[in-house]
Amino acid sequence: MHEKTFLTTFAQNNDAPKDFIRTRNRDMINRELIRIKVVQLTYAYYQNGNRNMDNAEKELLFSLSKAYDMYNMLLTLIVSITKEARRQNEIATVRARREGTEEPSQKFCNNKFEIQLEDNKMLQEFVDNKKTTWTDDIETVRKLLSQIEQSAIYREYMDNPEEETYDADRELWRKIYRTLIMDNAELDSLFEEKSIYWNDDKGIVDTFVLKTIKRFDPKNGKNQELLPEYKDSDDKDFARKLFRATILNADQYQRYMSETSRNWDFSRLAYMDVVIMQIAIAEMTTFPNIPINVTINEFVELAKAYSTPRSFGYINGMLDAIAHYLTDTGKIIKAMKPAAGYAKPDGKDMPDDAEDDGMQ
């Protein structure tokens, strides 16, 4: 799949905030990320002169797989930084022995969490299959290592030689990631240069990496599970069905918008607003198990990121009116809000924006 068929169109016309949904604690590949990709691909589909739905659907699934690639690449970045630290440490050690000075500490190079990550079977399989390394971007790795070594986080860690526990080593990398990798404009730009599919991904993928670090357990050794690409076939089907319903039923969905927009000027809607509401209606009408207010809340958040400053309030009101119209006319039969005790399949209570949204 060539990278500049549909998503180039989207990237040239939209610039979503880098911190969009960064604080939410979700899993790979979840429905939040799927909704983002469907918005991007639907917008690009209509803007692109060659409207081939099969190609667009393939690109949708490919773009989701690229997000998973980014997740693995960010984990390998931790390994690459440590390997560079070892290389520099070896040089400094040789020099110290030659000059008869104190040898550098090996503590950072022997970080127990990083060693477990480096030996991880799933990560090694990704590297072997994708042939992906940070060798071509070694200057980025070296710059990050320098920033780490100059940080208060690193100094505090190195100045406490007695605390050499696995938990302390894992916490070091969690802090480094949150402070120096998660909000790193240069690293964001590097990923965007590598793939058009990574334009808006890093913010949400960062949360997956942090969750993975937190979940690492030394008892699991090299068999520690990383987040799988999909929980099961349901999420992949969700992506396909949502995109196809959006395109195939576009005329009907836009009639719903027009019929319920008496209190708003439908003709003045931004094009992105129409796309976002069209997808939201597709979700309302296609997936009976997702409560209506979950759908509305999710797409209002997308409007805040991708459309005009005033759009989210308009879209919230419009979608609420459309939802009532669809339920009142019997076109959909579902609750406006999650029922009491509505829970994820793993049995945990759901938040307000409840739904089965990814891996555990």
Side-chain angles (χ1 to χ4, degrees), residues 200-339:
D200 297 321
D201 285 357
K202 186 171 176 293
I204 192 168
V205 174
D206 279 335
T207 66
F208 306 149
V209 176
L210 284 170
K211 175 175 280 191
T212 299
I213 294 172
K214 184 178 180 181
R215 288 181 171 182
F216 256 61
D217 187 331
K219 295 177 183 177
N220 296 326
K222 60 185 178 182
N223 295 315
Q224 172 72 46
E225 289 188 356
L226 305 181
L227 297 178
E229 186 169 3
Y230 290 97
K231 174 186 177 182
D232 51 36
S233 60
D234 287 350
D235 282 337
K236 204 168 190 177
D237 288 343
F238 175 79
R240 289 195 186 100
K241 289 178 181 178
L242 183 59
F243 178 70
R244 283 194 170 267
T246 298
I247 302 301
L248 294 175
N249 302 311
D251 291 343
Q252 182 63 61
Y253 297 159
Q254 290 185 21
R255 278 196 293 272
Y256 294 156
M257 294 181 214
S258 179
E259 290 169 4
T260 57
S261 64
R262 296 186 184 90
N263 295 327
W264 299 278
D265 188 352
F266 181 70
S267 64
R268 296 179 63 183
L269 274 176
Y271 186 70
M272 179 57 79
D273 294 349
V274 176
V275 168
I276 289 172
M277 286 197 290
Q278 191 171 312
I279 302 168
I281 297 169
E283 182 170 301
M284 288 182 198
T285 56
T286 307
F287 301 97
N289 293 331
I290 301 178
I292 291 171
N293 80 317
V294 171
T295 298
I296 293 176
N297 290 342
E298 291 290 341
F299 285 94
V300 167
E301 289 300 313
L302 283 166
K304 291 178 182 178
Y306 288 107
S307 199
T308 65
R310 295 183 178 181
S311 291
F312 73 91
Y314 184 95
I315 288 176
N316 185 51
M318 280 281 291
L319 289 178
D320 184 71
I322 291 168
H324 280 92
Y325 168 77
L326 293 174
T327 55
D328 291 346
T329 57
K331 292 179 172 60
I332 59 174
I333 302 174
K334 58 161 63 176
M336 288 295 292
K337 296 181 180 180

Side-chain angles (χ1 to χ4, degrees), residues 3 66 73 133-134 136-137 188-198:
E3 287 202 356
K66 289 292 288 182
M73 283 191 66
T133 69
W134 285 86
D136 293 339
D137 301 295
D188 292 354
S189 297
L190 177 66
F191 274 108
E192 290 174 7
E193 289 171 5
K194 286 182 176 294
S195 175
I196 190 69
Y197 295 97
W198 288 338

Side-chain angles (χ1 to χ4, degrees), residues 344-360:
K344 291 182 181 180
D346 63 2
K348 295 180 181 178
D349 289 339
M350 297 292 287
D352 288 341
D353 54 342
E355 66 162 300
D356 170 20
D357 60 0
M359 306 311 310
Q360 295 303 318

